[in-house]
Structures are given as C-alpha cells and as structure tokens.
Amino acid sequence: MLKDLLLQFIVALLPVFAFQLWYNKEQGWKGMPFFMGVYCGTSMILCMLTASSVFGYEADLRLIPYMIGSLYGGLPSFALLTAIYLGLRIPMLDSVWETVSFIVFIVVFSTVILWSIRHFQNASALRKKRMGMLLMSAMMLYYIISITGFISFSGKSWTLEMVLALVISTIATLTATRLFIFMIESVMEKQLLHEELKRISANYRNEVEKLQQFIDETSFGVIVIDHEGYITHFNGMAKTVLNLNTNYNGGEGLIGISFPLVFQQGQSDTCVKMLYQALNGKKSSLVPFVNGDKVLLLTTISLRTSEEDQNAGAALLAQDITELRHLQNEVGRMERLSLVGQMAASITHEIRNPMAVIRGFVQLIQERSPKNQAEYFRIVIEELDRANMIISDFLSLAQNRALIMEPSSLHDVINELVPLLHADANLRGQSIDVSLCEHLPLIMMNEREIKQLLLNIARNGMEAMGHKGSLNISTRCTESKVELRIADQGVGIPLEQMKHLFEPFFSTKTQGTGLGLPLCLSIAERHNGRIDVESREGEGTAFIVTFFLQEACAC
C-alpha cells in the first residue's frame, strides 16, 4: 500500500518537473493550456492505472493533476482533462454507490473547478495556494465520505489498514497539492524575477549608453570618478582642454585609473584639488582657470546615492571659455569705441559752426585783399569745404537715426540719377551703360540714402577709370533678393586692400576721406542688404548691392 501511494505521489508530481524545463525554455505562458492538458492528462492516466484498491474502491491521487491542470491550463485544459477522466473512470464503475458518487462529483466539483479557473489565474501566489488547498480539502472530504458510505453500503467493517491507507492518502494528496502549486509558483516567480532583471539590466545599459553619448557629445570636458577616486567615464573634450599625463593623452586605459595619476603636475593640480573636495561632498567652481593658451571654467560636483545619500563619486566639468572671453573683450572694446564715436560725433558737430564762421571771414578778407593772393584764399576755402565734407560723412556714419522707409522702385531711383551720372561721365570722357531687368518688385527703402549709396559707388568707379572707360549699372531679381550691380573698367583693387575696403578712414585715393564705402555698407545693412565686391587688377571692379526681400516674390 505504501509503495503504491509513494509511486502515486511521484507520478502526480511529474507535470511539475516537466513544467520547470518547459517554462524556463518558453519564458512565458505561451502554450500553457496545451502543456497542462497533455502532461496532467498523462499523469492522471498513470495515477488511475497504478491505483490501489480498498475493497474494490480505487484509492489514487488522480484528483491532483486533474484539479491543478484545470486551474492553470484554463478552459481548454479543463475540457481535455474532464474528457480523459470520464473516459477512464466510467468503465471502472462496478457498483451503484460508485456510480452515484461519481455523478455527484462530476456535477458538483467540476462545476466548482470551472467557476474557480478565472479567479485562480488572476489571484496572487498566496491566494492560489489557499484556493488550491481549499478545493482539494473539499474533494478529499467528499472522497472520505464516499469511501465511508461505500463500506457501509457493502456491509464491510473498518480495519486498521484501511484507516491508515485513508489517512496517508489524504495527507499525501494535500501535501502533493501544496507542493504542486508551490513549485509552479516558484518557477513562475523566478522567471518573472529573471524578466525583471533583464528589463532593469537593459534599462541600465540604455541609461549608461545615453549618459556616455551625452558625455561624448557635450562641449564640456567631463571626467567622472567613483567614490574611491577611479575614473568611470570621460570624453574626448576632456583630453583636449585639460592637461592630461602623456601616458593617458590618447585615452587608452583611462577607465579604472586613479584620477591624480591622469593629470600632469603643475597647472592641473587645481583639478585634483577640486575633485578631492567634491569627494568630500563640496561643490566648487573656479573662474577663470588659465590652462596654457586656454581659459577654462572648472566645476566639480559631488555625486550622491538617492536612497542613503552616500558618497557615490564626483564629476569634473571643464568648459573652454576662451572664445567667450575674447568675445567679452571685443564687446567691451566696441562699447568703448562706440562711446568714443558718440563723443567724436558731438565734437565734430560743434566744430562745424566755428568753421562756417571762419569760411565767411576768409571770403570777406579775400574781397579786401590784393588779387595776387586769391590763390591762397581759394586753397583755404577748398580745404575748409573738404573738412566740412569729412565731418558730414562722419556724422552720417556715426548717427543711428531712425529711417522712414516706404515701398519704392529701385529703377525710379536709378533713372532719376542717370542724367547726373551722364553729365559727370561726359566731363571725364567716359560713358554710362544702364541695363535694367524687366520686372522689379517694390522694396522698402529710404530714397535719399539709396541715392547717396548709388552716387558714392558710381563716382568711385568713375574715379578709378581715369579719362576713359564705361560704367555699367544693372539690376537683377530672384525670388528672394534684388541685386544692383555697378561695374567699372578701372585698375582694379589689390587683394591685400580688399579686406580693408569697408574700414572707416581707409582710402586708396589721395583726396579720399575713407568714409564713403563704410557709409554705403551702413546704408545697405539698414535696408536689409549687403555689399559684395568682385575685382581683378587691370580689368575693373564690380560692387554688388543685394537687397533681401521680406517675402519671396515672382520677378
């Protein structure tokens, strides 16, 4: 009897061992109904074939795979196991009592199992154990009542062997049921922990990769160390801006090295000191830090764990602010120049009044002086006029007055100035060639300033040609801009002078003020434009004034 029950116990638990191998391989619930139906059905068949008999009443553990397989496998497994159970059990019924007991069992407990499937599968592991033990206890109670009724119905009497077999069978069934559920839940829990570990590991790798990408792509030099002072992360910018030891300058073997060994002695002692302070929990910044020809902004931060607030390491951030410092110095210089310009504009404006008085008295003295001194007075008046012209150009360049812009046609401005330009060209023995495009949109402009720009560039071109040559004025329109091209056939501009053309007071003419082209550039920029220059020595120069349109238009 005991050998038969031990064999039944092992056979009843066979699906559990198969489940461990299958679930680890499948890693999920895929195919669970099929697995439970097949393996629990096989176990149930083996249990029924190896069952022991108590006065003709079969005592086995077939209910364990039937109930557990149905609860875990769901409706498909329940249907298959019920069919197997009916197919094998019905032929074994050889008495009225067994038949009635079997029918009551199928009607009552199969219905209870069917109702419990959904609740069981949605329950926690602890609740599954309780539900399984409760259902199996109820079935074993019915099993004991059935055997008791069978013995009474058959007129038999209880023996010690029968009582012992019934007790051992009940204990074995309940123990196997609990062990069955416990082992399945343990496997599933381990698998869930494995999946969670994989998910957390993948998230950790993703975060580490994102952190490393951020460190690699940032414009800061970054070195991260752990709480023991060993380097865990760094980027290429750190090798560029910081003084690293020549042994590690290539970055090879930098990970895992104690950070004081990485830096060179001398200028980088500051970095080592700041990292030690950060390891002690102190955040610090140093502005500026001169590292050779670089100016750096150094910042160290202390890294702490989120839960226990313990020291997890430190990070050094090094920002190269050399260009920013140069820009700040340049802005300061420009502000000083702007102040000087404003002062100069005020002074030159006040100078014009006494110069006008001087010119008037010079003319008065000229009228009262001998005729042989007229040439001297002419020179004085011309120089006063030239000084006044310089002051006017300077004031036009220095003043930043608001302009009144109106939609106007560039062709109208050109056509208005062409007669004046023809007159100047005739006096010099030159010619003017005007070539305007057919359709030109209106642009926002101040006509007085555009006339000044056109006259300055055109007269510069005529002066560059001497007593011959042709000045070409043309326009061109695209969807986004309007171009005014003024080309001469003069001597051209040397390459070394091209980059100084628009600098104030730079001039290649002996009588030039050096303010004409800077003034033209200022006018173009105020009209949302720019000036480009094309020149070849001995062939001529072309000034291209480009006006950018606010909205694309069809020309």
Tab-separated table of all heavy atoms in Angstrom, residues 393-443:
chain	number	residue	atom	x	y	z
A	393	ASP	N	30.262	113.313	-43.744
A	393	ASP	CA	30.289	111.863	-43.923
A	393	ASP	C	30.428	111.146	-42.590
A	393	ASP	O	29.784	110.104	-42.349
A	393	ASP	CB	31.442	111.476	-44.847
A	393	ASP	CG	31.182	111.870	-46.287
A	393	ASP	OD1	30.011	112.174	-46.607
A	393	ASP	OD2	32.137	111.884	-47.091
A	394	PHE	N	31.250	111.682	-41.730
A	394	PHE	CA	31.445	111.052	-40.423
A	394	PHE	C	30.156	111.064	-39.611
A	394	PHE	O	29.784	110.073	-38.978
A	394	PHE	CB	32.567	111.767	-39.657
A	394	PHE	CG	32.809	111.186	-38.283
A	394	PHE	CD1	33.520	110.011	-38.130
A	394	PHE	CD2	32.308	111.817	-37.158
A	394	PHE	CE1	33.731	109.475	-36.866
A	394	PHE	CE2	32.519	111.279	-35.896
A	394	PHE	CZ	33.234	110.122	-35.755
A	395	LEU	N	29.457	112.195	-39.642
A	395	LEU	CA	28.191	112.276	-38.912
A	395	LEU	C	27.149	111.324	-39.491
A	395	LEU	O	26.380	110.702	-38.768
A	395	LEU	CB	27.663	113.717	-38.934
A	395	LEU	CG	28.453	114.725	-38.075
A	395	LEU	CD1	27.903	116.123	-38.277
A	395	LEU	CD2	28.403	114.347	-36.605
A	396	SER	N	27.123	111.186	-40.802
A	396	SER	CA	26.182	110.252	-41.431
A	396	SER	C	26.484	108.819	-41.022
A	396	SER	O	25.579	107.997	-40.842
A	396	SER	CB	26.248	110.381	-42.956
A	396	SER	OG	25.862	111.675	-43.367
A	397	LEU	N	27.789	108.507	-40.883
A	397	LEU	CA	28.177	107.159	-40.497
A	397	LEU	C	27.935	106.903	-39.022
A	397	LEU	O	27.522	105.815	-38.621
A	397	LEU	CB	29.655	106.929	-40.835
A	397	LEU	CG	30.226	105.531	-40.549
A	397	LEU	CD1	29.518	104.502	-41.409
A	397	LEU	CD2	31.724	105.511	-40.817
A	398	ALA	N	28.161	107.898	-38.193
A	398	ALA	CA	28.089	107.727	-36.746
A	398	ALA	C	26.662	107.788	-36.230
A	398	ALA	O	26.312	107.123	-35.259
A	398	ALA	CB	28.944	108.790	-36.036
A	399	GLN	N	25.808	108.578	-36.849
A	399	GLN	CA	24.455	108.734	-36.349
A	399	GLN	C	23.629	107.501	-36.667
A	399	GLN	O	23.710	106.930	-37.749
A	399	GLN	CB	23.795	109.973	-36.958
A	399	GLN	CG	24.411	111.284	-36.454
A	399	GLN	CD	23.825	112.492	-37.156
A	399	GLN	OE1	23.071	112.348	-38.112
A	399	GLN	NE2	24.193	113.672	-36.695
A	400	ASN	N	22.847	107.071	-35.721
A	400	ASN	CA	21.963	105.907	-35.896
A	400	ASN	C	20.520	106.372	-35.801
A	400	ASN	O	19.770	105.962	-34.928
A	400	ASN	CB	22.266	104.855	-34.820
A	400	ASN	CG	21.568	103.544	-35.101
A	400	ASN	OD1	21.165	103.286	-36.228
A	400	ASN	ND2	21.406	102.724	-34.067
A	401	ARG	N	20.162	107.259	-36.698
A	401	ARG	CA	18.828	107.837	-36.652
A	401	ARG	C	17.821	106.910	-37.307
A	401	ARG	O	18.147	106.099	-38.169
A	401	ARG	CB	18.829	109.195	-37.380
A	401	ARG	CG	19.273	109.126	-38.817
A	401	ARG	CD	19.284	110.508	-39.449
A	401	ARG	NE	19.714	110.459	-40.844
A	401	ARG	CZ	20.949	110.498	-41.246
A	401	ARG	NH1	21.923	110.558	-40.345
A	401	ARG	NH2	21.253	110.450	-42.529
A	402	ALA	N	16.571	107.037	-36.889
A	402	ALA	CA	15.504	106.218	-37.454
A	402	ALA	C	15.204	106.667	-38.876
A	402	ALA	O	15.186	107.859	-39.177
A	402	ALA	CB	14.251	106.342	-36.585
A	403	LEU	N	14.988	105.679	-39.763
A	403	LEU	CA	14.722	105.970	-41.161
A	403	LEU	C	13.240	105.814	-41.455
A	403	LEU	O	12.556	104.983	-40.873
A	403	LEU	CB	15.511	105.015	-42.064
A	403	LEU	CG	17.037	105.151	-42.042
A	403	LEU	CD1	17.642	104.110	-42.959
A	403	LEU	CD2	17.470	106.546	-42.472
A	404	ILE	N	12.779	106.632	-42.377
A	404	ILE	CA	11.413	106.496	-42.867
A	404	ILE	C	11.474	105.650	-44.136
A	404	ILE	O	12.004	106.087	-45.158
A	404	ILE	CB	10.781	107.873	-43.154
A	404	ILE	CG1	10.733	108.708	-41.868
A	404	ILE	CG2	9.391	107.712	-43.750
A	404	ILE	CD1	10.214	110.116	-42.075
A	405	MET	N	10.971	104.443	-44.036
A	405	MET	CA	11.009	103.503	-45.154
A	405	MET	C	9.651	103.498	-45.869
A	405	MET	O	8.608	103.462	-45.224
A	405	MET	CB	11.328	102.094	-44.659
A	405	MET	CG	12.682	101.974	-43.979
A	405	MET	SD	14.019	101.863	-45.182
A	405	MET	CE	15.335	101.234	-44.139
A	406	GLU	N	9.703	103.514	-47.178
A	406	GLU	CA	8.492	103.440	-47.985
A	406	GLU	C	8.720	102.469	-49.145
A	406	GLU	O	9.847	102.316	-49.629
A	406	GLU	CB	8.124	104.815	-48.553
A	406	GLU	CG	7.761	105.842	-47.483
A	406	GLU	CD	7.433	107.199	-48.096
A	406	GLU	OE1	7.705	107.377	-49.302
A	406	GLU	OE2	6.932	108.060	-47.366
A	407	PRO	N	7.660	101.777	-49.602
A	407	PRO	CA	7.808	100.921	-50.783
A	407	PRO	C	8.143	101.759	-52.010
A	407	PRO	O	7.380	102.650	-52.390
A	407	PRO	CB	6.433	100.249	-50.927
A	407	PRO	CG	5.708	100.517	-49.663
A	407	PRO	CD	6.291	101.741	-49.050
A	408	SER	N	9.269	101.521	-52.607
A	408	SER	CA	9.724	102.325	-53.747
A	408	SER	C	10.374	101.421	-54.776
A	408	SER	O	10.771	100.287	-54.480
A	408	SER	CB	10.713	103.404	-53.292
A	408	SER	OG	10.148	104.231	-52.286
A	409	SER	N	10.518	101.951	-55.964
A	409	SER	CA	11.148	101.214	-57.051
A	409	SER	C	12.607	101.629	-57.178
A	409	SER	O	12.927	102.826	-57.269
A	409	SER	CB	10.415	101.475	-58.369
A	409	SER	OG	11.129	100.935	-59.454
A	410	LEU	N	13.483	100.656	-57.167
A	410	LEU	CA	14.907	100.934	-57.340
A	410	LEU	C	15.170	101.504	-58.736
A	410	LEU	O	16.057	102.361	-58.903
A	410	LEU	CB	15.718	99.655	-57.114
A	410	LEU	CG	17.235	99.774	-57.207
A	410	LEU	CD1	17.778	100.756	-56.177
A	410	LEU	CD2	17.889	98.401	-57.046
A	411	HIS	N	14.387	101.093	-59.725
A	411	HIS	CA	14.554	101.611	-61.082
A	411	HIS	C	14.257	103.101	-61.144
A	411	HIS	O	14.936	103.849	-61.881
A	411	HIS	CB	13.647	100.850	-62.049
A	411	HIS	CG	14.135	99.465	-62.348
A	411	HIS	ND1	13.436	98.575	-63.125
A	411	HIS	CD2	15.286	98.827	-61.991
A	411	HIS	CE1	14.111	97.446	-63.220
A	411	HIS	NE2	15.239	97.575	-62.538
A	412	ASP	N	13.273	103.572	-60.392
A	412	ASP	CA	12.955	105.008	-60.384
A	412	ASP	C	14.128	105.815	-59.838
A	412	ASP	O	14.459	106.892	-60.356
A	412	ASP	CB	11.704	105.259	-59.547
A	412	ASP	CG	10.451	104.686	-60.200
A	412	ASP	OD1	10.501	104.400	-61.413
A	412	ASP	OD2	9.432	104.540	-59.495
A	413	VAL	N	14.764	105.281	-58.772
A	413	VAL	CA	15.922	105.981	-58.193
A	413	VAL	C	17.066	106.022	-59.214
A	413	VAL	O	17.721	107.063	-59.400
A	413	VAL	CB	16.357	105.284	-56.894
A	413	VAL	CG1	17.642	105.927	-56.354
A	413	VAL	CG2	15.259	105.340	-55.852
A	414	ILE	N	17.319	104.901	-59.885
A	414	ILE	CA	18.407	104.856	-60.870
A	414	ILE	C	18.122	105.812	-62.023
A	414	ILE	O	19.008	106.582	-62.449
A	414	ILE	CB	18.593	103.407	-61.373
A	414	ILE	CG1	19.052	102.495	-60.224
A	414	ILE	CG2	19.605	103.363	-62.513
A	414	ILE	CD1	19.111	101.022	-60.581
A	415	ASN	N	16.906	105.768	-62.570
A	415	ASN	CA	16.557	106.637	-63.707
A	415	ASN	C	16.643	108.114	-63.332
A	415	ASN	O	16.963	108.956	-64.180
A	415	ASN	CB	15.149	106.307	-64.202
A	415	ASN	CG	15.092	104.935	-64.878
A	415	ASN	OD1	16.076	104.501	-65.470
A	415	ASN	ND2	13.957	104.261	-64.769
A	416	GLU	N	16.368	108.431	-62.078
A	416	GLU	CA	16.448	109.822	-61.639
A	416	GLU	C	17.889	110.298	-61.574
A	416	GLU	O	18.172	111.481	-61.797
A	416	GLU	CB	15.773	109.944	-60.269
A	416	GLU	CG	15.625	111.389	-59.791
A	416	GLU	CD	14.875	111.492	-58.478
A	416	GLU	OE1	14.203	110.499	-58.096
A	416	GLU	OE2	14.953	112.558	-57.837
A	417	LEU	N	18.818	109.386	-61.260
A	417	LEU	CA	20.223	109.774	-61.122
A	417	LEU	C	21.024	109.619	-62.420
A	417	LEU	O	22.141	110.135	-62.517
A	417	LEU	CB	20.890	108.925	-60.030
A	417	LEU	CG	20.417	109.159	-58.592
A	417	LEU	CD1	21.153	108.230	-57.644
A	417	LEU	CD2	20.655	110.615	-58.170
A	418	VAL	N	20.483	108.895	-63.407
A	418	VAL	CA	21.232	108.658	-64.638
A	418	VAL	C	21.657	109.952	-65.332
A	418	VAL	O	22.813	110.083	-65.780
A	418	VAL	CB	20.430	107.744	-65.582
A	418	VAL	CG1	20.984	107.791	-67.004
A	418	VAL	CG2	20.465	106.308	-65.069
A	419	PRO	N	20.802	110.994	-65.496
A	419	PRO	CA	21.262	112.242	-66.136
A	419	PRO	C	22.452	112.871	-65.423
A	419	PRO	O	23.390	113.355	-66.061
A	419	PRO	CB	20.024	113.138	-66.077
A	419	PRO	CG	18.869	112.184	-66.035
A	419	PRO	CD	19.344	111.043	-65.203
A	420	LEU	N	22.412	112.873	-64.091
A	420	LEU	CA	23.523	113.442	-63.329
A	420	LEU	C	24.801	112.642	-63.564
A	420	LEU	O	25.888	113.212	-63.747
A	420	LEU	CB	23.165	113.464	-61.841
A	420	LEU	CG	24.242	113.992	-60.882
A	420	LEU	CD1	24.603	115.439	-61.230
A	420	LEU	CD2	23.758	113.896	-59.440
A	421	LEU	N	24.682	111.297	-63.586
A	421	LEU	CA	25.853	110.451	-63.814
A	421	LEU	C	26.383	110.611	-65.240
A	421	LEU	O	27.599	110.602	-65.459
A	421	LEU	CB	25.496	108.979	-63.544
A	421	LEU	CG	25.126	108.631	-62.097
A	421	LEU	CD1	24.701	107.180	-61.990
A	421	LEU	CD2	26.316	108.902	-61.168
A	422	HIS	N	25.469	110.778	-66.228
A	422	HIS	CA	25.906	111.021	-67.608
A	422	HIS	C	26.711	112.312	-67.694
A	422	HIS	O	27.731	112.387	-68.405
A	422	HIS	CB	24.693	111.087	-68.535
A	422	HIS	CG	24.288	109.744	-69.074
A	422	HIS	ND1	25.120	108.967	-69.836
A	422	HIS	CD2	23.113	109.057	-68.960
A	422	HIS	CE1	24.501	107.843	-70.169
A	422	HIS	NE2	23.259	107.882	-69.637
A	423	ALA	N	26.262	113.344	-66.978
A	423	ALA	CA	26.977	114.630	-67.003
A	423	ALA	C	28.382	114.475	-66.435
A	423	ALA	O	29.362	114.978	-67.008
A	423	ALA	CB	26.176	115.672	-66.216
A	424	ASP	N	28.488	113.760	-65.301
A	424	ASP	CA	29.829	113.536	-64.720
A	424	ASP	C	30.709	112.721	-65.666
A	424	ASP	O	31.902	113.000	-65.820
A	424	ASP	CB	29.695	112.799	-63.378
A	424	ASP	CG	29.181	113.713	-62.272
A	424	ASP	OD1	29.086	114.930	-62.513
A	424	ASP	OD2	28.880	113.199	-61.168
A	425	ALA	N	30.122	111.719	-66.289
A	425	ALA	CA	30.904	110.865	-67.190
A	425	ALA	C	31.379	111.633	-68.409
A	425	ALA	O	32.519	111.440	-68.874
A	425	ALA	CB	30.061	109.660	-67.610
A	426	ASN	N	30.535	112.513	-68.963
A	426	ASN	CA	30.934	113.304	-70.134
A	426	ASN	C	32.115	114.199	-69.814
A	426	ASN	O	33.017	114.395	-70.642
A	426	ASN	CB	29.753	114.129	-70.635
A	426	ASN	CG	28.685	113.244	-71.282
A	426	ASN	OD1	29.005	112.179	-71.804
A	426	ASN	ND2	27.443	113.687	-71.250
A	427	LEU	N	32.118	114.791	-68.636
A	427	LEU	CA	33.240	115.650	-68.249
A	427	LEU	C	34.539	114.859	-68.160
A	427	LEU	O	35.624	115.408	-68.348
A	427	LEU	CB	32.949	116.325	-66.909
A	427	LEU	CG	31.804	117.373	-66.911
A	427	LEU	CD1	31.552	117.892	-65.492
A	427	LEU	CD2	32.165	118.543	-67.838
A	428	ARG	N	34.440	113.556	-67.863
A	428	ARG	CA	35.637	112.733	-67.711
A	428	ARG	C	35.978	111.983	-68.996
A	428	ARG	O	36.942	111.232	-69.039
A	428	ARG	CB	35.429	111.710	-66.580
A	428	ARG	CG	35.110	112.307	-65.224
A	428	ARG	CD	34.714	111.213	-64.234
A	428	ARG	NE	34.300	111.752	-62.951
A	428	ARG	CZ	35.116	111.948	-61.908
A	428	ARG	NH1	36.399	111.655	-62.036
A	428	ARG	NH2	34.663	112.454	-60.779
A	429	GLY	N	35.141	112.073	-70.019
A	429	GLY	CA	35.376	111.327	-71.239
A	429	GLY	C	34.960	109.877	-71.121
A	429	GLY	O	35.504	109.011	-71.820
A	430	GLN	N	34.023	109.610	-70.248
A	430	GLN	CA	33.577	108.235	-70.002
A	430	GLN	C	32.133	108.081	-70.480
A	430	GLN	O	31.476	109.041	-70.902
A	430	GLN	CB	33.675	107.891	-68.500
A	430	GLN	CG	35.087	108.029	-67.939
A	430	GLN	CD	35.091	108.005	-66.413
A	430	GLN	OE1	34.045	108.087	-65.778
A	430	GLN	NE2	36.290	107.914	-65.844
A	431	SER	N	31.622	106.839	-70.375
A	431	SER	CA	30.240	106.575	-70.768
A	431	SER	C	29.540	105.774	-69.673
A	431	SER	O	30.179	105.109	-68.853
A	431	SER	CB	30.199	105.797	-72.084
A	431	SER	OG	30.831	104.526	-71.937
A	432	ILE	N	28.203	105.863	-69.673
A	432	ILE	CA	27.376	105.130	-68.708
A	432	ILE	C	26.509	104.150	-69.478
A	432	ILE	O	25.816	104.526	-70.423
A	432	ILE	CB	26.493	106.086	-67.877
A	432	ILE	CG1	27.353	107.107	-67.136
A	432	ILE	CG2	25.618	105.294	-66.901
A	432	ILE	CD1	28.211	106.504	-66.056
A	433	ASP	N	26.527	102.901	-69.068
A	433	ASP	CA	25.712	101.861	-69.695
A	433	ASP	C	24.743	101.333	-68.635
A	433	ASP	O	25.167	100.776	-67.622
A	433	ASP	CB	26.601	100.735	-70.216
A	433	ASP	CG	25.787	99.652	-70.904
A	433	ASP	OD1	24.627	99.926	-71.273
A	433	ASP	OD2	26.299	98.518	-71.055
A	434	VAL	N	23.446	101.526	-68.862
A	434	VAL	CA	22.417	101.125	-67.896
A	434	VAL	C	21.645	99.942	-68.472
A	434	VAL	O	21.122	100.014	-69.584
A	434	VAL	CB	21.460	102.281	-67.567
A	434	VAL	CG1	20.394	101.828	-66.584
A	434	VAL	CG2	22.249	103.467	-67.018
A	435	SER	N	21.557	98.848	-67.710
A	435	SER	CA	20.846	97.637	-68.138
A	435	SER	C	19.968	97.171	-66.979
A	435	SER	O	20.469	96.601	-65.998
A	435	SER	CB	21.842	96.544	-68.536
A	435	SER	OG	21.167	95.356	-68.850
A	436	LEU	N	18.667	97.452	-67.087
A	436	LEU	CA	17.729	97.134	-66.010
A	436	LEU	C	16.855	95.943	-66.398
A	436	LEU	O	16.465	95.797	-67.557
A	436	LEU	CB	16.850	98.342	-65.691
A	436	LEU	CG	17.596	99.656	-65.375
A	436	LEU	CD1	16.609	100.777	-65.090
A	436	LEU	CD2	18.547	99.464	-64.198
A	437	CYS	N	16.544	95.103	-65.423
A	437	CYS	CA	15.683	93.955	-65.700
A	437	CYS	C	14.252	94.432	-65.942
A	437	CYS	O	13.877	95.548	-65.584
A	437	CYS	CB	15.735	92.953	-64.543
A	437	CYS	SG	15.133	93.594	-62.972
A	438	GLU	N	13.448	93.569	-66.540
A	438	GLU	CA	12.113	93.992	-66.966
A	438	GLU	C	11.171	94.216	-65.785
A	438	GLU	O	10.450	95.205	-65.725
A	438	GLU	CB	11.515	92.934	-67.911
A	438	GLU	CG	12.251	92.815	-69.239
A	438	GLU	CD	11.553	91.840	-70.163
A	438	GLU	OE1	10.485	91.311	-69.771
A	438	GLU	OE2	12.072	91.608	-71.265
A	439	HIS	N	11.142	93.297	-64.859
A	439	HIS	CA	10.205	93.388	-63.733
A	439	HIS	C	10.999	93.410	-62.438
A	439	HIS	O	11.809	92.525	-62.176
A	439	HIS	CB	9.241	92.200	-63.735
A	439	HIS	CG	8.454	92.075	-65.010
A	439	HIS	ND1	7.418	92.923	-65.335
A	439	HIS	CD2	8.561	91.184	-66.032
A	439	HIS	CE1	6.913	92.564	-66.509
A	439	HIS	NE2	7.608	91.521	-66.958
A	440	LEU	N	10.728	94.420	-61.632
A	440	LEU	CA	11.421	94.554	-60.352
A	440	LEU	C	10.383	94.909	-59.290
A	440	LEU	O	9.648	95.892	-59.441
A	440	LEU	CB	12.497	95.646	-60.438
A	440	LEU	CG	13.509	95.668	-59.287
A	440	LEU	CD1	14.414	94.446	-59.373
A	440	LEU	CD2	14.348	96.937	-59.323
A	441	PRO	N	10.283	94.140	-58.200
A	441	PRO	CA	9.289	94.444	-57.171
A	441	PRO	C	9.685	95.683	-56.366
A	441	PRO	O	10.853	96.076	-56.323
A	441	PRO	CB	9.302	93.195	-56.295
A	441	PRO	CG	10.677	92.650	-56.446
A	441	PRO	CD	11.068	92.936	-57.868
A	442	LEU	N	8.695	96.271	-55.743
A	442	LEU	CA	8.961	97.396	-54.849
A	442	LEU	C	9.649	96.871	-53.592
A	442	LEU	O	9.354	95.783	-53.097
A	442	LEU	CB	7.660	98.094	-54.469
A	442	LEU	CG	6.835	98.694	-55.613
A	442	LEU	CD1	5.565	99.354	-55.056
A	442	LEU	CD2	7.648	99.697	-56.415
A	443	ILE	N	10.581	97.651	-53.083
A	443	ILE	CA	11.264	97.292	-51.845
A	443	ILE	C	11.155	98.447	-50.877
A	443	ILE	O	10.990	99.614	-51.268
A	443	ILE	CB	12.744	96.932	-52.098
A	443	ILE	CG1	13.490	98.123	-52.727
A	443	ILE	CG2	12.869	95.706	-52.977
A	443	ILE	CD1	14.979	97.863	-52.914
